Amino acid sequence: QVQLVESGGGLVQPGGSLRLSCAASGSGFSIYVMGWYRQAPGRQRELVASTTSSGSTTYDDSVKGRFTISRDNAKNTVYLEMNSLKPEDTAVYYCHALLKLIGVIGAPKNYWGQGTQVTVSS
């Protein structure tokens, strides 16, 4: 019923920029946290950045000052603006949402997008 649809990945040269978008489709839910994780080959999935419904943000140290996360609550959409990209940013980027279905008893649950490839290479 709830899907996270990502867009915006691709190939970019070092120092370049990309913007990722993720929209939560469906209805009847309340989103608490939205964010982005990434997973490079041979590595565990790691948090890149996240934002709460009140606007608080968290960033991994490796992207502070280069990446900016933003959110449009009315559109249930989260964005990740990535600047000064480095080869080590190459990974599959996954959208994440912690949300609760309205009328369903229980704790909020984690939802994931299908992933979008970001490759930084000359």
Side-chain angles (χ1 to χ4, degrees):
Q1 294 178 345
V2 180
Q3 283 189 317
L4 301 181
V5 181
E6 303 150 339
S7 61
L11 172 65
V12 65
Q13 292 186 340
S17 299
L18 280 176
R19 187 188 195 216
L20 304 183
S21 300
C22 172
S25 65
S27 61
F29 55 83
S30 180
I31 301 176
Y32 295 90
V33 180
M34 291 190 84
W36 295 91
Y37 286 69
R38 67 186 178 188
Q39 187 167 18
R43 299 190 65 176
Q44 289 188 332
R45 190 174 297 189
E46 62 180 10
L47 174 67
V48 177
S50 66
T51 178
T52 67
S53 56
S54 62
S56 298
T57 57
T58 300
Y59 294 94
D60 183 77
D61 286 345
S62 66
V63 307
K64 283 181 180 177
R66 299 189 298 121
F67 291 10
T68 302
I69 191 169
S70 60
R71 178 172 166 176
D72 186 332
N73 289 328
K75 295 181 179 180
N76 292 322
T77 299
V78 66
Y79 307 94
L80 186 67
E81 188 75 34
M82 304 185 293
N83 299 313
S84 301
L85 282 160
K86 304 175 181 180
E88 50 263 44
D89 295 317
T90 296
V92 178
Y93 284 68
Y94 295 91
C95 179
H96 166 262
L98 178 67
L99 63 85
K100 191 174 186 308
L101 298 179
I102 296 172
V104 175
I105 297 174
K109 294 184 179 180
N110 295 303
Y111 288 77
W112 296 92
Q114 79 282 3
T116 185
Q117 177 70 46
V118 171
T119 302
V120 184
S121 175
S122 55

